[in-house]
Amino acid sequence: MSTTITIKNLTKRFGDVVAVNNVSLTIEAGTFLTLLGPSGCGKTTLLRCIAGLEDPNEGEIYIGDKLVYSSIKGISLQPGARDLGLVFQNYALWPHMTVYKNITFALEMQKLTKAQMDERVHEALKEVQMDGYENRYPREMSGGQQQRIALARMLAYRPKVFLMDEPLSNLDARLRMDMRTELKRLHHISGATTIYVTHDQVEALTMSTNIAVMKLGVVQQLDTPDRVYHFPANLFVADFIGNPKVNLLDGTVSGQNQVKVGDFALDVETFNARGKMVVAVRPEDIAVLTEPELNAVEFTAYSVLPAGADSTIVAQRGDVEVTVKVMGISKIKMDQKIWLKFDPTSLNLYDKESGNLVTG
């Protein structure tokens, strides 16, 4: 049975540093929420507060209907009383114990019989494709295999909530992709409410039901991966998400639904805004032409970077630089004249001063 997690006005300080700043979140039952942000943004501290590994200074945390932390009521349940499963970056496997003992260590405290534990171990190892490894020791397995065992241990415990703190960061790039597939599949099978901490936007975008982007202890945007990517709430989120990075073009509203950037104008919904703006456009949302066309802007190809499946083109016009991503190997040559066509429906407009998305 999945569980809803409710966080109300949570604050955690370390001396003068506010690691989590008045955060309120509702994580619906069965969802996969990723806490995403750069180092020092507070995502791991927030996870540790939920787990009971850190005591916040203020606020409340509910796991289901159970109040597990309240600064006002003086409640702070121990991690073992919160019915959570945790997987960390360093796997935290006991080196002197076999896989079987690593998994059943927590199950013994649940007073399960030997037959019940055997069944749980078998089912959990099968789900992570590690059945048959019961008698191995951690030192006899690769990093990826150890991570799967850590996941199996959590699955065997059958907690109401899964908490994962950058569990894939120690793995190589190819294995990380394989494990993302496995984690998403495990969430689909288990239906458990999952909170996942990472600084890797690819992990967040590919696995999550919702993403909470954090900066300096504050949630900047809580939304679906699609909306976080295509409609970032502010310039920080826009700039943090995407590879290649989003183009952020400084401009000024020059007319109804038009912003002047350098010596050219872009058609974009301005919602009656005025003054200095920033136009954001993803590199893959710009069309590259080799001949002039209506509403296309002339640029020069400054650099062309083929990468097999796609190519990145850096184009310049005066002081304006735009990055474009096209599929396949581009035939564009450096210093060649090209024309860029901007789709008004793919542009986002941000207020230069506040950094917030301009909406109707």
Side-chain angles (χ1 to χ4, degrees), residues 155-282:
L155 290 170
Y157 185 67
R158 295 181 183 174
K160 294 178 180 178
V161 176
F162 294 170
L163 302 180
M164 305 186 193
D165 187 7
E166 304 209 49
L168 309 185
S169 59
N170 287 341
L171 307 180
D172 61 56
R174 182 168 181 175
L175 189 52
R176 277 202 305 272
M177 183 166 182
D178 291 342
M179 287 303 298
R180 285 199 295 266
T181 301
E182 296 298 335
L183 285 174
K184 190 160 187 176
R185 183 68 188 172
L186 286 174
H187 177 255
H188 173 73
I189 292 170
S190 68
T193 306
T194 302
I195 304 176
Y196 187 97
V197 165
T198 186
H199 64 275
D200 187 326
Q201 57 177 285
V202 176
E203 289 182 11
L205 291 169
T206 54
M207 296 195 296
S208 311
T209 309
N210 291 295
I211 299 173
V213 184
M214 296 186 67
K215 176 188 177 185
L216 300 177
V218 177
V219 174
Q220 304 292 308
Q221 183 172 3
L222 173 62
D223 222 324
T224 64
D226 179 66
R227 288 196 60 82
V228 166
Y229 187 81
H230 289 107
F231 301 99
N234 55 42
L235 288 173
F236 171 79
V237 178
D239 193 44
F240 188 76
I241 300 288
N243 185 28
K245 292 173 67 174
V246 67
N247 294 289
L248 299 175
L249 309 176
D250 287 331
T252 305
V253 175
S254 58
Q256 184 65 33
N257 296 333
Q258 197 171 73
V259 174
K260 189 173 184 182
V261 177
D263 63 353
F264 62 94
L266 292 176
D267 293 329
V268 55
E269 179 66 67
T270 57
F271 300 101
N272 298 316
R274 292 288 183 267
K276 294 182 179 180
M277 297 288 156
V278 177
V279 178
V281 56
R282 296 287 178 193

Side-chain angles (χ1 to χ4, degrees), residues 127-157:
E127 286 187 11
V128 298
Q129 300 179 21
M130 291 290 288
D131 42 331
Y133 281 71
E134 290 86 347
N135 296 318
R136 297 277 189 99
Y137 287 89
R139 65 178 178 273
E140 299 174 324
M141 296 179 292
S142 68
Q145 290 172 327
Q146 290 183 51
Q147 190 58 277
R148 288 171 188 260
I149 297 304
L151 290 169
R153 179 176 56 190
M154 179 181 67
L155 290 170
Y157 185 67

Side-chain angles (χ1 to χ4, degrees), residues 304-321:
V304 182
L305 307 167
D310 53 56
S311 299
T312 300
I313 301 168
V314 179
Q316 290 184 340
R317 178 186 175 101
D319 294 332
V320 178
E321 185 172 281

Side-chain angles (χ1 to χ4, degrees), residues 110-128:
Q110 292 182 325
K111 309 295 185 184
L112 298 184
T113 66
K114 178 69 164 57
Q116 288 173 321
M117 289 193 292
D118 287 347
E119 182 180 5
R120 293 248 192 130
V121 171
H122 175 72
E123 289 179 354
L125 289 177
K126 187 175 181 181
E127 286 187 11
V128 298

